[in-house]
């Protein structure tokens, strides 16, 4: 299932058998090296590792047990990624040559794996005079840092599938 990253913020985290609401998703933790969401930070300050999510629904995620939500200090494998503070949404997008393309407006996530399938890039106000908003598939993402995303993009490329699609 594919889901927009922005649609996850504010949805409830529910325990599978009891239906107990643990909290709401306040943020996410991105692994920039693998281009994945690896955890969700909850409104109560606890974290849920993405691998512990049993199901994604339009209005919530399902976890197997209330004790899956843990303080960050208990989730050793998530700590290093959380310390990088990768926000993704709003990050500057540029080419490897340093050409600014806009900002990440949203990202499409493959929910079973947490992998970023696409990023949606909104051109800035002045950039909109010369180019449209763009969608970059995972294959075009070169790197992700706390403040920026670098993409492979050649505006002269016209082969089908070689250039990013224009956002709707």
């Amino acid at each position: 299932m594919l889901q927009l990253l922005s649609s996850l913020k504010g949805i409830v985290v529910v325990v599978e058998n009891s239906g107990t609401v643990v909290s709401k998703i306040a943020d996410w933790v991105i692994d920039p090296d693998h281009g994945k969401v690896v955890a969700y930070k909850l409104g109560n300050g606890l974290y849920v590792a993405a691998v512990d999510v049993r199901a994604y629904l339009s209005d919530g995620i399902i976890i197997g047990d209330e004790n899956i939500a843990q303080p960050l200090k208990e989730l050793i494998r998530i700590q290093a990624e959380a310390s990088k503070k990768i926000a993704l949404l709003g990050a500057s997008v540029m080419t490897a040559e340093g050409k600014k393309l806009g900002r990440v407006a949203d990202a499409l996530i493959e929910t079973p794996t947490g992998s970023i399938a696409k990023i949606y890039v909104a051109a800035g106000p002045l950039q909109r005079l010369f180019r449209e908003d763009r969608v970059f598939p995972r294959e075009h993402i070169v790197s992700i840092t706390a403040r920026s995303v670098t993409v492979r993009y050649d505006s002269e490329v016209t082969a089908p599938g070689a250039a990013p699609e224009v956002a709707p």
Side-chain angles (χ1 to χ4, degrees), residues 74-123:
E74 300 295 325
L75 299 171
I76 305 300
R77 61 186 178 189
I78 306 296
Q79 288 178 6
E81 304 309 332
S83 70
K84 295 175 186 174
K85 299 183 187 283
I86 307 288
L88 194 58
L89 301 188
S92 176
V93 179
M94 63 187 72
T95 66
E97 294 77 31
K99 181 179 178 182
K100 293 182 181 180
L101 300 175
R103 297 205 170 270
V104 176
D106 214 335
L108 194 63
I109 305 299
E110 295 173 357
T111 54
T113 63
S115 294
I116 298 169
K118 298 178 180 185
I119 60 168
Y120 296 89
V121 179

Side-chain angles (χ1 to χ4, degrees), residues 2 12-14 19 22 31 35 47-49 59-60 62-63 78 93 101 115-116 127 135 149 151:
L2 297 171
V12 294
V13 178
V14 179
V22 176
D31 173 350
Y47 288 76
V48 171
D59 57 350
I62 307 296
I63 59 174
I78 306 296
V93 179
L101 300 175
S115 294
I116 298 169
Q127 295 163 330
V135 180
V149 177
V151 295

Side-chain angles (χ1 to χ4, degrees), residues 5-162:
L5 186 59
S6 64
S7 72
L8 296 172
K9 194 169 263 191
I11 65 173
V12 294
V13 178
V14 179
V15 176
E16 187 172 33
N17 292 328
S18 69
T20 304
V21 174
V22 176
S23 188
K24 291 183 176 185
I25 294 177
D27 209 350
W28 38 79
V29 178
I30 304 281
D31 173 350
D33 298 325
H34 296 100
K36 298 175 85 166
V37 174
V38 293
Y40 299 101
K41 182 178 181 182
L42 308 183
N44 60 8
L46 299 178
Y47 288 76
V48 171
V51 297
D52 291 329
V53 176
R54 296 235 174 131
Y56 288 83
L57 308 172
S58 60
D59 57 350
I61 63 172
I62 307 296
I63 59 174
D65 176 309
E66 218 172 299
N67 296 321
I68 287 173
Q70 297 283 320
L72 185 58
K73 68 181 180 180
E74 300 295 325
L75 299 171
I76 305 300
R77 61 186 178 189
I78 306 296
Q79 288 178 6
E81 304 309 332
S83 70
K84 295 175 186 174
K85 299 183 187 283
I86 307 288
L88 194 58
L89 301 188
S92 176
V93 179
M94 63 187 72
T95 66
E97 294 77 31
K99 181 179 178 182
K100 293 182 181 180
L101 300 175
R103 297 205 170 270
V104 176
D106 214 335
L108 194 63
I109 305 299
E110 295 173 357
T111 54
T113 63
S115 294
I116 298 169
K118 298 178 180 185
I119 60 168
Y120 296 89
V121 179
L126 290 176
Q127 295 163 330
R128 283 195 181 113
L129 295 173
F130 306 103
R131 72 177 75 88
E132 301 176 60
D133 293 349
R134 296 278 179 191
V135 180
F136 289 88
R138 167 184 30 234
E139 299 79 30
H140 287 244
I141 299 172
V142 175
S143 68
I144 300 172
T145 68
R147 293 193 173 106
S148 67
V149 177
T150 303
V151 295
R152 185 171 33 93
Y153 176 63
D154 179 356
S155 59
E156 301 301 315
V157 174
T158 56

